[in-house]
Amino acid sequence: MKKCLLLLTALIVVIPIRAQQSLFEPKTPIVSPQVHADRTVTFRLFAPMAKEVQITGDCLPAQVRNGQEVQGSVKMKKDSLGVWSYTTPALDPELYFYWFLVDGVRVNDPQNIFRIRDVNTNMDIFLIGDAETNPYIVGNVRHGTVSKVWYQQAGAQRRMTVYTPAGYEDGKQKYPVLYLLHGMGGDEEAWPMLGRATQVLDNLIAQGKAKPMLVVMPNGNISQEAAPGEKAGLPEQPNFNLPRTMEGSYEGSFGDIIQFVESHYRVQADKKHRAVAGLSMGGFHSFWLSANHPDWFNYVGLFSAAIRNPKAGSPVYEDMDGKLKALFTQKPALYYIAIGKTDFLYKANKDLRAKLDANHYPYYYRETDGGHIWRNWRIYLKEFTSMIFRN
């Protein structure tokens, strides 16, 4: 009898609560984001008690604040049911990030399960187009394999992501290798997730626009074993400013990565079949790796590179002019520089080009709109991978 009374009491409590809650829920399911046939996109958020809701992201025109380019934002409109909405103009085929600001508080879209972490920020994403117009979409093609691999560098266990092209497991062919490096705060998951490197390579290779290749994406933080949540011990929050990122240790031990790859994979182990490229801090590493080892890489890609000559006391960063001379004496097949017009590193890259021009060193230059953003780095990855290993 006691159990029945308790159950009845619970039902009496629960039923009114559920009925009361349903008064505030929309009668029809909320869809967000909703991509329309005309490539416009509608975002919706149920927040009946909010006073103001904004949407911000790279699907909106960028804004300039205090001389710096920032993500655009726009106020959403609230209907009688408490649903806030906004519809964009038609968007180009691309991968886009966005989030909401509810009374000034950043909120992810509860209706969108597709989310990517960038350092310590989770961003909602959506895609526009199809695999023919947008290489970031999974195409109906043969797919390569993505592996998370542990190896030793500088005497410590560390993790890298390795992409092997379709057919690698079934054949005996040896492949060229691109070493693809992330920026500050990133890790071995940055290029596969934010850069869509897997989709880019699968689609370009299938279309004959890029040669089949291995892509090695190591963790560029010498003080970090692996991406947050993947290293030994309890998960730690991502940290943008890790120690020992640009003081010579990474470049000094990069040979460990090459040795591991060339002893564990079927690759063509010579300069002609090696490339190195990276964004921001990864561009910094690519610059100094190629400068210190002119016999390692035939292709060098600097994407919004943090070009500077640090005074860290490391021999890695000494004699920039002499090392560049040695590098270009060996005639790399491609020295690729790319940056956005409003990137905060634009002047540093312009100064590098002036140095190369003064010495008649050949290079390829790509300038795009926008600043220090993944949209640009994905463009550079598409172009760079279509240009390498062609000789």
Side-chain angles (χ1 to χ4, degrees):
M1 178 64 70
K2 234 179 229 186
K3 286 184 180 176
C4 291
L5 286 172
L6 286 172
L7 180 60
L8 183 60
T9 303
L11 288 172
I12 292 170
V13 171
V14 169
I15 291 171
I17 289 175
R18 179 62 187 165
Q20 184 68 25
Q21 179 178 315
S22 67
L23 293 176
F24 295 99
E25 290 182 345
K27 300 301 181 184
T28 56
I30 295 174
V31 178
S32 179
Q34 183 177 10
V35 179
H36 304 288
D38 60 358
R39 302 205 317 268
T40 62
V41 182
T42 298
F43 303 91
R44 299 181 180 91
L45 179 68
F46 179 63
M49 305 303 291
K51 296 179 181 178
E52 180 181 89
V53 177
Q54 293 178 289
I55 180 172
T56 183
D58 62 358
C59 53
L60 303 168
Q63 299 172 347
V64 177
R65 295 176 191 163
N66 301 320
Q68 294 293 322
E69 185 176 274
V70 297
Q71 301 288 0
S73 62
V74 66
K75 293 181 180 180
M76 302 175 73
K77 292 184 178 179
K78 181 181 177 182
D79 67 14
S80 59
L81 297 176
V83 177
W84 299 77
S85 64
Y86 171 75
T87 300
T88 70
L91 298 173
D92 293 331
E94 192 34 279
L95 181 149
Y96 294 94
F97 303 125
Y98 74 98
W99 56 89
F100 299 127
L101 290 172
V102 181
D103 292 333
V105 178
R106 181 169 176 155
V107 176
N108 287 110
D109 189 342
Q111 307 305 321
N112 189 355
I113 64 169
F114 300 106
R115 199 165 291 165
I116 292 179
R117 177 184 62 85
D118 187 6
V119 190
N120 56 7
T121 301
N122 287 314
M123 299 181 292
D124 298 296
I125 67 167
F126 65 96
L127 290 144
I128 294 288
D130 53 42
E132 293 299 316
T133 60
N134 184 347
Y136 316 136
I137 293 175
V138 177
N140 186 20
V141 299
R142 295 183 68 203
H143 300 297
T145 298
V146 178
S147 305
K148 306 296 183 181
V149 182
W150 289 93
Y151 70 102
Q152 291 282 321
Q153 182 181 2
Q157 182 175 234
R158 306 182 73 246
R159 196 176 82 143
M160 63 171 67
T161 301
V162 179
Y163 167 89
T164 51
Y168 175 86
E169 291 85 357
D170 301 323
K172 296 181 179 179
Q173 177 184 345
K174 292 186 175 182
Y175 294 89
V177 185
L178 165 61
Y179 295 89
L180 186 60
L181 312 181
H182 61 77
M184 184 171 287
D187 49 59
E188 73 275 13
E189 296 182 348
W191 271 112
M193 299 299 293
L194 293 145
R196 304 288 282 188
T198 302
Q199 290 78 16
V200 168
L201 267 296
D202 277 351
N203 289 325
L204 293 187
I205 291 171
Q207 295 164 10
K209 296 178 180 178
K211 292 287 187 180
M213 68 184 80
L214 266 75
V215 183
V216 176
M217 295 162 273
N219 190 312
N221 306 300
I222 200 70
S223 59
Q224 185 183 61
E225 288 179 21
E230 301 297 336
K231 58 175 283 190
L234 295 173
E236 297 177 355
Q237 289 297 317
N239 187 345
F240 191 85
N241 294 308
L242 291 167
R244 301 175 61 205
T245 52
M246 301 165 77
E247 39 69 86
S249 298
Y250 191 71
E251 294 92 338
S253 60
F254 197 84
D256 292 348
I257 297 177
I258 295 177
Q259 191 278 330
F260 176 87
V261 170
E262 295 183 351
S263 63
H264 287 75
Y265 293 89
R266 294 195 320 274
V267 298
Q268 295 166 292
D270 55 45
K271 173 185 174 179
K272 184 178 180 181
H273 298 98
R274 291 193 206 108
V276 65
L279 70 92
S280 195
M281 181 185 77
F284 171 91
H285 290 316
S286 299
F287 174 84
W288 285 108
L289 281 167
S290 60
N292 279 276
H293 302 282
D295 57 337
W296 277 9
F297 306 106
N298 205 27
Y299 307 88
V300 180
L302 309 180
F303 307 165
S304 305
I307 299 297
R308 59 190 180 93
N309 195 351
K311 305 298 181 183
S314 171
V316 170
Y317 307 131
E318 294 175 354
D319 190 20
M320 177 192 287
D321 292 342
K323 288 175 178 176
L324 283 174
K325 182 178 180 180
L327 173 64
F328 282 95
T329 296
Q330 295 210 20
K331 299 181 179 179
L334 175 64
Y335 199 83
Y336 177 102
I337 302 172
I339 195 163
K341 295 176 183 177
T342 57
D343 196 302
F344 73 96
L345 293 169
Y346 185 88
K347 184 182 184 304
N349 280 253
K350 183 178 180 180
D351 291 344
L352 172 63
R353 290 190 291 116
K355 182 186 289 290
L356 299 179
D357 290 338
N359 289 281
H360 306 289
Y361 297 150
Y363 62 92
Y364 178 92
Y365 180 60
R366 177 79 143 102
E367 188 172 292
T368 52
D369 292 327
H372 210 67
I373 54 175
W374 273 103
R375 185 186 302 182
N376 276 339
W377 302 326
R378 290 192 296 269
I379 291 171
Y380 308 154
L381 176 66
K382 286 186 300 182
E383 186 169 68
F384 185 74
T385 51
S386 70
M387 297 172 72
I388 60 179
F389 307 130
R390 293 288 182 181
N391 296 341

